[in-house]
Amino acid sequence: MRTATGATSLFSRNLRKHYPIAVRGEGCWIVDAEGRRYLDASGQAAVVNIGHGVPEIGRAMAEQSGRIAFAHTTQFHSEQAEKLAARVLAIAPRNFRDDGRVYFTSGGSEATETAIKLARQYFLESGQPSRYRVLARRQSYHGSTLGAMSVSGNVARRAPYAPMIPEWGHVAPCFCYHCPFAKTYPECNLACADDLDMFLRANDSSTVAAFLFEPVVGATLGAVPAVDGYTARIAEICRKHGILLIADEVMTGMGRTGTPFASEHWGLEPDVILTGKGIASGYAPLGAVLVSPRLVEAFEKGTAAFMHGFTYQAHPVATAAGNAVFDYLEAHSLFERVTPTGQTLRKALAALESHAHVGQVRGLGLLQGVEFVKDEVTREPFPKEADIAEKIRQAALEKNVLVYPGQGCVTACAGTMCYWRLPSLSSRKNASSSPIPCNMR
Ligand SMILES: Cc1ncc(COP(=O)(O)O)c(C=O)c1O
């Protein structure tokens, strides 16, 4: 409850900021306590895939809650969790479909933590106890808990906690617009993928358990998809060194990029997939770790007991939300609609490209980003102090449009991008005036 002076009792994300109270959601719109309507142009943080305020989701959650809201996973499974696990596996890459399993969490960070520990224990079960390090890429984000931070390559988000997190190793991202090797695709011959091989050769690969990466980099780079050939080369390197491949699809999973999981764009079959966000479309905190059969088998032949757990894992009401969202996705053919709607969005955003400070419009399906540069010829980023992403966010907000800003896509601090689903700001005069839906509907 706010006090009479408008003060809050919440420990906010930023104690200097004032946060309006969101009271209602309707499709692409969020309405605050003052009656102001915001166009949610990014589904918040790429979460609300089916839109706000879909009544059947709340009904399904209430129904489950009325039957049984909680049963501890050391003693029970629930119908909702069983059903959702089977449905998620049925749309996963082929290698998960026969005898894969799903471990439900309460969000993406917990999914990353789970995957890190799963990879470690897999090698204990398989008689390779020296393997524990999980490598990842620079300019990546895998969550905010300490284990997830240790793999995240987002320098700004890591910095305050650097003394508390191990550095297991980070390799180059696949980011052609600012290629870390100053090369050009395809003549580069995928130097960024080979960076993983070089790192493994130079840094005792016998201690490495897994490589974790985002097939389309979301929060840190602003919707940067892997180039063709990259994921296949990465998979080959992982196989060669005997390490697991983990795809972080917390943002890209459950249809966001036009296939149920982005890995499928390249026929990739990772050992583990993480997902979250869209799986319950924000109606409940839910994440998931998809575990491929060969890992399941190693556990079955070994101790069979994963030394890990959360009180709220596989929560019946959260998984009921997941099932209701899944029903909605199927009933409205939303998986199929992402690619054509993404093309419409891309066409609209293309109008921005003629702006002197728009470096690139990029993305896959309905995960699209716009990178702003100081100089479009040299691709020089704006300095961090210019705070361009925040200024753009503010400018959009003045027009009641919510976007997802980001900084640090070029170096730790510089480089500005925003996830937009709308023709916006300076391009508005050229662009279509009809807004593109913020969600997959
Ligand atoms: C790729 C990726 N992994 C993990 C996470 C962490 O998820 P959560 O914020 O639900 O803990 C995020 C969140 O933005 C993400 O984008």
Side-chain angles (χ1 to χ4, degrees):
M1 201 64 185
R2 289 254 168 96
T3 65
T5 58
T8 177
S9 304
L10 291 172
F11 195 96
S12 328
R13 290 216 174 208
N14 183 332
L15 301 183
R16 290 214 177 84
K17 258 178 80 177
H18 168 81
Y19 296 85
I21 302 281
V23 292
R24 216 170 55 250
E26 298 161 0
C28 298
W29 300 91
I30 292 179
V31 184
D32 75 13
E34 317 278 290
R36 183 171 172 190
R37 290 170 69 81
Y38 307 82
L39 181 64
D40 183 7
S42 59
Q44 296 293 279
V47 172
V48 190
N49 283 6
I50 67 163
H52 299 276
V54 176
E56 47 267 48
I57 315 300
R59 277 201 294 271
M61 292 171 72
E63 206 175 290
Q64 179 59 40
S65 186
R67 262 190 264 132
I68 180 161
F70 183 79
H72 201 273
T73 46
T74 52
Q75 293 165 351
F76 295 100
H77 282 188
S78 73
E79 286 172 355
Q80 293 290 352
E82 290 280 6
K83 182 176 171 189
L84 185 60
R87 296 174 92 178
V88 169
L89 290 170
I91 58 165
R94 191 166 302 280
N95 60 318
F96 289 90
R97 295 195 195 156
D98 293 323
D99 301 324
R101 300 284 179 97
V102 180
Y103 190 106
F104 288 113
T105 63
S106 300
S109 301
E110 282 188 6
T112 303
E113 295 291 335
T114 301
I116 291 171
K117 290 169 77 175
L118 185 78
R120 165 62 179 159
Q121 196 176 334
Y122 165 76
F123 282 109
L124 290 177
E125 303 290 350
S126 315
Q128 297 185 60
S130 69
R131 295 193 182 273
Y132 68 96
R133 287 158 60 208
V134 178
L135 306 184
R137 303 189 302 185
R138 294 188 287 278
Q139 290 142 296
S140 61
Y141 182 62
H142 302 291
S144 64
T145 49
L146 289 176
M149 281 270 69
S150 67
V151 285
S152 292
N154 184 312
V155 176
R157 292 185 190 186
R158 279 174 71 96
Y161 309 104
M164 301 156 67
I165 48 182
E167 171 52 60
W168 288 322
H170 288 86
V171 302
C174 175
F175 189 16
C176 297
Y177 187 67
H178 295 285
C179 175
F181 303 97
K183 293 182 186 246
T184 307
Y185 177 80
E187 290 75 33
C188 62
N189 197 22
L190 298 169
C192 53
D194 287 344
D195 198 42
L196 174 61
D197 191 39
M198 281 170 55
F199 188 91
L200 284 162
R201 286 166 192 271
N203 293 279
D204 191 5
S205 66
S206 71
T207 62
V208 177
F211 175 65
L212 169 66
F213 84 115
E214 296 165 83
V216 184
V217 184
T220 316
L221 292 187
V224 174
V227 294
D228 286 345
Y230 176 84
T231 61
R233 179 81 58 88
I234 288 289
E236 182 191 317
I237 294 166
C238 289
R239 247 190 329 271
K240 190 171 78 182
H241 290 274
I243 68 175
L244 300 177
L245 178 54
I246 305 171
D248 181 348
E249 299 227 24
V250 168
M251 199 176 266
T252 55
M254 300 307 292
R256 168 70 45 197
T257 69
T259 49
F261 291 94
S263 295
E264 285 169 51
H265 287 290
W266 305 280
L268 180 67
E269 297 190 346
D271 296 296
V272 176
I273 294 180
L274 318 181
T275 195
K277 296 191 185 256
I279 190 168
S281 198
Y283 287 84
L286 188 62
V289 181
L290 282 64
V291 187
S292 63
R294 83 173 166 118
L295 274 72
V296 178
E297 197 187 329
F299 275 78
E300 280 172 344
K301 287 187 176 153
T303 65
F306 186 20
M307 291 301 287
H308 177 66
F310 301 105
T311 296
Y312 293 123
Q313 72 186 63
H315 193 277
V317 180
T319 48
N323 277 309
V325 167
F326 210 119
D327 290 342
Y328 193 94
L329 287 165
E330 287 182 339
H332 298 267
S333 305
L334 295 194
F335 285 126
E336 293 77 19
R337 288 176 60 185
V338 171
T339 298
T341 311
Q343 282 161 355
T344 308
L345 167 63
R346 184 56 163 271
K347 235 198 232 152
L349 287 173
L352 288 171
E353 283 169 339
S354 58
H355 192 285
H357 291 298
V358 170
Q360 194 181 40
V361 176
R362 58 189 176 227
L364 202 52
L366 278 170
L367 185 61
Q368 298 281 334
V370 178
E371 180 175 333
F372 298 89
V373 289
K374 191 168 167 206
D375 185 321
E376 64 178 334
V377 177
T378 63
R379 303 182 182 178
E380 182 192 350
F382 284 104
K384 179 182 186 319
E385 311 73 61
D387 211 7
I388 294 296
E390 177 55 20
K391 285 178 181 152
I392 291 167
R393 189 190 74 81
Q394 279 293 343
L397 185 60
E398 276 164 29
K399 304 205 181 266
N400 299 320
V401 176
L402 304 171
V403 296
Y404 187 148
Q407 224 168 2
C409 68
V410 183
T411 64
C413 305
T416 303
M417 68 281 171
C418 279
Y419 298 37
W420 285 0
R421 311 277 177 72
L422 278 181
S424 192
L425 301 179
S426 51
S427 74
R428 189 157 292 202
K429 55 188 180 293
N430 305 326
S432 147
S433 59
S434 64
I436 292 157
C438 72
N439 47 50
M440 288 158 48
R441 288 200 289 183

